[in-house]
mmCIF file of all heavy atoms in Angstrom:
data_model
loop_
_atom_site.group_PDB
_atom_site.id
_atom_site.type_symbol
_atom_site.label_atom_id
_atom_site.label_comp_id
_atom_site.label_asym_id
_atom_site.label_seq_id
_atom_site.Cartn_x
_atom_site.Cartn_y
_atom_site.Cartn_z
ATOM 1 N N GLY C 143 -56.560 21.745 19.965
ATOM 2 C CA GLY C 143 -56.039 22.445 21.127
ATOM 3 C C GLY C 143 -56.681 23.788 21.440
ATOM 4 O O GLY C 143 -56.794 24.158 22.569
ATOM 5 N N GLU C 144 -57.146 24.411 20.372
ATOM 6 C CA GLU C 144 -57.783 25.705 20.564
ATOM 7 C C GLU C 144 -59.093 25.600 21.332
ATOM 8 O O GLU C 144 -59.524 26.528 22.022
ATOM 9 C CB GLU C 144 -58.071 26.373 19.239
ATOM 10 C CG GLU C 144 -56.796 26.818 18.541
ATOM 11 C CD GLU C 144 -56.085 25.681 17.783
ATOM 12 O OE1 GLU C 144 -56.673 24.532 17.825
ATOM 13 O OE2 GLU C 144 -54.995 25.847 17.251
ATOM 14 N N VAL C 145 -59.811 24.400 21.185
ATOM 15 C CA VAL C 145 -61.043 24.216 21.904
ATOM 16 C C VAL C 145 -60.886 24.125 23.428
ATOM 17 O O VAL C 145 -61.667 24.576 24.207
ATOM 18 C CB VAL C 145 -61.724 22.925 21.394
ATOM 19 C CG1 VAL C 145 -62.980 22.622 22.162
ATOM 20 C CG2 VAL C 145 -62.068 23.073 19.883
ATOM 21 N N MET C 146 -59.689 23.616 23.813
ATOM 22 C CA MET C 146 -59.415 23.384 25.250
ATOM 23 C C MET C 146 -58.758 24.585 25.924
ATOM 24 O O MET C 146 -58.560 24.633 27.112
ATOM 25 C CB MET C 146 -58.466 22.168 25.408
ATOM 26 C CG MET C 146 -59.113 20.889 24.814
ATOM 27 S SD MET C 146 -58.037 19.472 24.966
ATOM 28 C CE MET C 146 -57.924 19.313 26.734
ATOM 29 N N LEU C 147 -58.427 25.629 25.100
ATOM 30 C CA LEU C 147 -57.799 26.780 25.672
ATOM 31 C C LEU C 147 -58.609 27.523 26.716
ATOM 32 O O LEU C 147 -58.193 27.872 27.767
ATOM 33 C CB LEU C 147 -57.280 27.756 24.561
ATOM 34 C CG LEU C 147 -56.090 27.303 23.750
ATOM 35 C CD1 LEU C 147 -55.796 28.313 22.619
ATOM 36 C CD2 LEU C 147 -54.838 27.111 24.627
ATOM 37 N N ALA C 148 -59.894 27.767 26.326
ATOM 38 C CA ALA C 148 -60.813 28.528 27.134
ATOM 39 C C ALA C 148 -61.006 27.879 28.538
ATOM 40 O O ALA C 148 -60.790 28.488 29.561
ATOM 41 C CB ALA C 148 -62.106 28.773 26.470
ATOM 42 N N PRO C 149 -61.425 26.626 28.605
ATOM 43 C CA PRO C 149 -61.647 25.998 29.931
ATOM 44 C C PRO C 149 -60.357 25.848 30.719
ATOM 45 O O PRO C 149 -60.379 26.010 31.961
ATOM 46 C CB PRO C 149 -62.249 24.582 29.579
ATOM 47 C CG PRO C 149 -61.905 24.365 28.148
ATOM 48 C CD PRO C 149 -61.907 25.670 27.505
ATOM 49 N N GLU C 150 -59.208 25.580 30.054
ATOM 50 C CA GLU C 150 -58.030 25.496 30.775
ATOM 51 C C GLU C 150 -57.614 26.899 31.397
ATOM 52 O O GLU C 150 -57.140 26.930 32.523
ATOM 53 C CB GLU C 150 -56.871 25.050 29.857
ATOM 54 C CG GLU C 150 -56.927 23.565 29.575
ATOM 55 C CD GLU C 150 -55.765 23.105 28.675
ATOM 56 O OE1 GLU C 150 -54.980 23.996 28.276
ATOM 57 O OE2 GLU C 150 -55.657 21.905 28.351
ATOM 58 N N PHE C 151 -57.866 27.898 30.604
ATOM 59 C CA PHE C 151 -57.506 29.261 31.144
ATOM 60 C C PHE C 151 -58.389 29.603 32.334
ATOM 61 O O PHE C 151 -57.890 30.174 33.334
ATOM 62 C CB PHE C 151 -57.733 30.289 30.006
ATOM 63 C CG PHE C 151 -57.533 31.707 30.429
ATOM 64 C CD1 PHE C 151 -56.211 32.203 30.543
ATOM 65 C CD2 PHE C 151 -58.592 32.512 30.776
ATOM 66 C CE1 PHE C 151 -55.992 33.516 30.977
ATOM 67 C CE2 PHE C 151 -58.416 33.812 31.196
ATOM 68 C CZ PHE C 151 -57.099 34.301 31.208
ATOM 69 N N LEU C 152 -59.707 29.218 32.295
ATOM 70 C CA LEU C 152 -60.557 29.529 33.440
ATOM 71 C C LEU C 152 -60.164 28.771 34.684
ATOM 72 O O LEU C 152 -60.160 29.291 35.782
ATOM 73 C CB LEU C 152 -62.003 29.191 33.025
ATOM 74 C CG LEU C 152 -62.576 30.094 31.951
ATOM 75 C CD1 LEU C 152 -64.060 29.569 31.625
ATOM 76 C CD2 LEU C 152 -62.653 31.561 32.363
ATOM 77 N N VAL C 153 -59.745 27.475 34.499
ATOM 78 C CA VAL C 153 -59.352 26.715 35.617
ATOM 79 C C VAL C 153 -58.058 27.260 36.244
ATOM 80 O O VAL C 153 -57.967 27.432 37.465
ATOM 81 C CB VAL C 153 -59.160 25.252 35.168
ATOM 82 C CG1 VAL C 153 -58.526 24.400 36.326
ATOM 83 C CG2 VAL C 153 -60.490 24.577 34.851
ATOM 84 N N VAL C 154 -57.102 27.552 35.443
ATOM 85 C CA VAL C 154 -55.797 28.041 35.944
ATOM 86 C C VAL C 154 -56.022 29.441 36.617
ATOM 87 O O VAL C 154 -55.429 29.684 37.620
ATOM 88 C CB VAL C 154 -54.812 28.196 34.752
ATOM 89 C CG1 VAL C 154 -53.502 28.892 35.214
ATOM 90 C CG2 VAL C 154 -54.425 26.780 34.267
#
Side-chain angles (χ1 to χ4, degrees):
E144 293 77 6
V145 175
M146 303 178 63
L147 286 177
E150 285 183 357
F151 177 81
L152 294 177
V153 171
V154 172

